[in-house]
Amino acid sequence: MKFSNYFLPTLKNIPADAEIISHQLMIRSGMIKQSSAGIYSWLPLGLRVLKKIEQIVREEQNKAGAIEILMPTIQSADLWIKSGRYEEYGKEMLRIKDRSDREMLYGPTNEELITDIFQSYINSYKDLPKNLYHIQWKFRDEVRPRFGIMRGREFLMKDNYSFDLTKEDAKISYNNMFKAYIKTFLRMGLTPISLRADTGPIGGDLSHEFQILANTGESTLYYDKDLESLDPQNLNPEKLQSYYAAVDDHHNENQCPISKSQLKISKGIEVGHIFYFGTKYSEKLGGYVQNNKGNKIAVHMGSYGIGVSRLVGAIIEAFHDDKGIVWPTQVSPFQVSLINLMPENNKCLDASNKFYSQLINHKIEVLYDDREVSIGKKLSDNDLLGFPYQIIIGSKNLKDNLVEIKVRKENFIEKFNPEDAINFIKTQLNTII
RNA sequence: CGGGGAGUAGCGCAGUCUGGUAGCGCACCUGGUUUGGGACCAGGGGGUCGAAGGUUCGAAUCCUUUCUCCCCGACCA
């Protein structure tokens, strides 16, 4: 993509409405535009990140055996009245009436709908287990939306629902998802910390929340430092759940089971939550199957959420510096910035154009900054955008047949001849999972 | 929902107290000069001052009502 053809409005001034760093950077890098409180439009660059995160989540769900569906955003109130949550959910639920005066709502979550789908088609224990998910926009009319995209009223969430015959089976599904979650966050370059959680309004008796480490996070976490170096190839959910991890409210220095040298303290942001809630919804909404003796049994359910849009902000909170965003390669909107410092210089132009087609041929995602703006503007914009690699082309180095590569994360700059530059980038990108 | 703050050009702000032709920086347009870290010079365009009502010869400024947004707290993916 050529910058001059793209729609990427970068901003020098920090918008007054944005308080936290990820919100500021998302606006300054032209990722989002606020539409009203807690509701945002996604501009091209932001959308690319959102889609990448969504895709990683999807792939890991599929690998774990979950099956993708898509349920509507607007739901009828009927099922919610049945489950008792039409009252219970309160003002956070956005209620709408259609033209026939039927009560509708913009779904804040989907337990009711999924159970209804389940009960329509699944009647036998032979069809279990099942695990269905979708990635869909939700709306919760928060009292106070804040932190930009991280706590919007409208947000994109992956949520899935498992159905099992017994509690024991449900536990297997639960642990399966637990593992998938850890893998998902690791793939995004994040450090996930799982904590046993209060079950809250969803209800149930087993629940974990997943936080990712970020210096600017809201919660303070106390955890076993082994959790910082997990091997994605070799994850044991039971073992992971046995590690010590607690938010500050629950942490007690005197009762902490691990040694001080093993204990780490850091800030975190919640990005996922999983629940086992037994037969709460299946009983109310008819989620029954027959077992091998012909008895009707309410299925054991779990639900599992990942805040996809929140992750965009959370990742920026985890990865930025004073110049801008520092994207992990896996979710970066583009992999490479190709920066032509002097577009009016024919040699630079030729070299840049050549790089551009080579990168495209190698299927490397490149944003080619071909704009006629000052050098400083160009370099600082690209630092702000924060793609992992920058290929910088200028006349001085080109005289010696050299270009610069800047690794954004390390702020490391090295000169290469053009062939080696491409190879270097290729090698670097191939080492990413 | 309790407490606090803010709405003036695309963005950031001054002007409001003390009423008298709406300003600055960035961005944008034109021309020129520059060219390895947010360039310089000259010229230019862009505003029903959030909205409605009122006071006044005259309102961004005073009064009333209202809408919106942000921050702190209680609550959450």
Side-chain angles (χ1 to χ4, degrees):
Chain A
M1 177 60 67
K2 288 187 179 179
F3 206 127
S4 59
N5 295 334
Y6 206 38
F7 179 56
L8 179 38
T10 59
L11 232 54
K12 194 168 163 182
N13 288 342
I14 299 170
D17 279 355
E19 184 76 5
I20 61 162
I21 191 74
S22 62
H23 192 195
Q24 293 175 359
L25 289 172
M26 285 181 80
I27 292 171
R28 287 186 52 213
S29 63
M31 293 176 67
I32 52 168
K33 168 161 172 49
Q34 180 162 349
S35 162
S36 58
I39 301 178
Y40 295 83
S41 294
W42 292 78
L43 305 183
L45 200 75
L47 184 61
R48 284 182 77 99
V49 179
L50 189 69
K51 290 287 178 191
K52 285 198 173 188
I53 291 171
E54 182 182 331
Q55 188 55 25
I56 290 175
V57 170
R58 175 177 289 117
E59 286 172 12
E60 292 302 323
Q61 287 295 307
N62 293 345
K63 276 190 211 164
I67 300 160
E68 186 168 11
I69 61 172
L70 185 59
M71 290 179 273
T73 53
I74 307 288
Q75 308 178 18
S76 155
D78 300 357
L79 291 169
W80 287 77
I81 293 168
K82 251 191 223 175
S83 76
R85 286 209 293 183
Y86 198 58
E87 296 304 319
E88 204 178 299
Y89 226 96
K91 284 191 153 181
E92 271 195 29
M93 184 148 73
L94 180 65
R95 293 147 208 262
I96 315 164
K97 281 193 176 161
D98 70 9
R99 64 196 299 163
S100 322
D101 232 25
R102 278 185 287 256
E103 291 186 49
M104 314 289 284
L105 56 99
Y106 197 118
T109 177
N110 289 66
E111 279 85 4
E112 281 77 1
L113 258 187
I114 193 79
T115 311
D116 184 57
I117 291 171
F118 177 87
Q119 67 84 24
S120 301
Y121 302 107
I122 306 281
N123 302 302
S124 163
Y125 75 98
K126 292 178 186 170
D127 294 323
L128 299 183
K130 280 282 173 284
N131 188 333
L132 304 174
Y133 76 97
H134 77 339
I135 300 173
Q136 178 64 292
W137 292 91
K138 309 287 190 288
F139 195 93
R140 293 183 191 166
D141 201 355
E142 303 269 353
V143 209
R144 179 150 104 87
R146 59 183 120 174
F147 306 139
I149 214 69
M150 288 215 288
R151 180 130 172 240
R153 294 192 291 171
E154 188 181 51
F155 58 98
L156 186 61
M157 180 162 104
K158 185 282 304 175
D159 47 322
N160 50 341
Y161 305 89
S162 64
F163 304 90
D164 286 280
L165 190 62
T166 65
K167 184 168 183 178
E168 291 67 41
D169 290 347
K171 189 78 198 282
I172 294 170
S173 296
Y174 183 92
N175 281 338
N176 184 38
M177 275 298 116
F178 186 99
K179 190 168 146 184
Y181 270 42
I182 298 281
K183 284 172 103 167
T184 300
F185 299 129
L186 287 175
R187 249 186 91 180
M188 294 171 192
L190 298 164
T191 308
I193 303 292
S194 60
L195 306 103
R196 191 166 276 269
D198 299 330
T199 50
I202 304 231
D205 55 8
L206 180 57
S207 173
H208 282 87
E209 62 177 55
F210 293 81
Q211 302 231 7
I212 57 103
L213 296 186
N215 291 332
T216 47
E218 253 202 303
S219 340
T220 305
L221 308 178
Y222 295 78
Y223 57 93
D224 192 315
K225 74 175 181 193
D226 287 358
L227 288 170
E228 287 186 354
S229 45
L230 300 178
D231 172 14
Q233 305 305 322
N234 193 17
L235 295 172
N236 178 340
E238 301 274 357
K239 189 177 171 209
L240 285 174
Q241 289 167 21
S242 70
Y243 279 108
Y244 181 75
V247 291
D248 48 2
D249 290 355
H250 296 162
H251 176 74
N252 184 328
E253 209 176 318
N254 301 319
Q255 291 167 12
C256 181
I258 60 173
S259 69
K260 256 204 170 124
S261 59
Q262 192 67 12
L263 183 72
K264 283 208 70 170
I265 305 168
S266 177
K267 297 279 185 182
I269 299 168
E270 187 183 357
V271 292
H273 210 145
I274 63 179
F275 304 87
Y276 161 72
F277 47 73
T279 57
K280 176 174 175 182
Y281 297 98
S282 49
E283 280 175 11
K284 282 188 178 143
L285 296 163
Y288 291 92
V289 295
Q290 284 190 305
N291 67 8
N292 59 1
K293 297 191 179 86
N295 298 324
K296 261 194 155 186
I297 296 196
V299 293
H300 288 255
M301 294 176 60
S303 79
Y304 314 88
I306 290 180
V308 174
S309 48
R310 171 178 286 189
L311 270 166
V312 180
I315 288 170
I316 296 171
E317 291 293 328
F319 302 111
H320 66 270
D321 61 19
D322 55 346
K323 289 181 181 147
I325 305 172
V326 185
W327 288 111
T329 306
Q330 303 87 323
V331 297
S332 181
F334 290 89
Q335 295 169 317
V336 173
S337 289
L338 174 63
I339 307 169
N340 182 1
L341 293 181
M342 298 164 193
E344 59 298 307
N345 174 311
N346 283 332
K347 281 188 180 160
C348 290
L349 187 63
D350 289 345
S352 301
N353 286 341
K354 202 172 159 193
F355 260 104
Y356 184 51
S357 31
Q358 280 182 336
L359 288 164
I360 287 173
N361 288 340
H362 284 103
K363 304 233 181 317
I364 293 169
E365 297 170 336
V366 53
L367 183 69
Y368 173 15
D369 194 344
D370 59 336
R371 294 174 301 168
E372 304 211 1
V373 297
S374 76
I375 287 160
K377 160 87 171 153
K378 220 170 258 196
L379 293 172
S380 55
D381 262 1
N382 281 282
D383 282 346
L384 169 68
L385 297 174
F387 311 150
Y389 304 99
Q390 299 175 0
I391 301 176
I392 303 171
I393 296 173
S395 61
K396 281 184 190 167
N397 284 320
L398 216 50
K399 274 183 192 142
D400 305 320
N401 195 36
L402 292 172
V403 299
E404 272 176 14
I405 290 184
K406 174 167 169 181
V407 181
R408 178 70 178 82
K409 186 168 57 176
E410 278 108 33
N411 208 17
F412 151 98
I413 296 179
E414 195 171 325
K415 293 178 185 178
F416 291 88
N417 70 48
E419 302 79 56
D420 292 345
I422 293 274
N423 288 331
F424 175 81
I425 299 274
K426 270 185 71 180
T427 312
Q428 293 287 312
L429 291 176
N430 282 337
T431 60
I432 307 295
I433 314 152

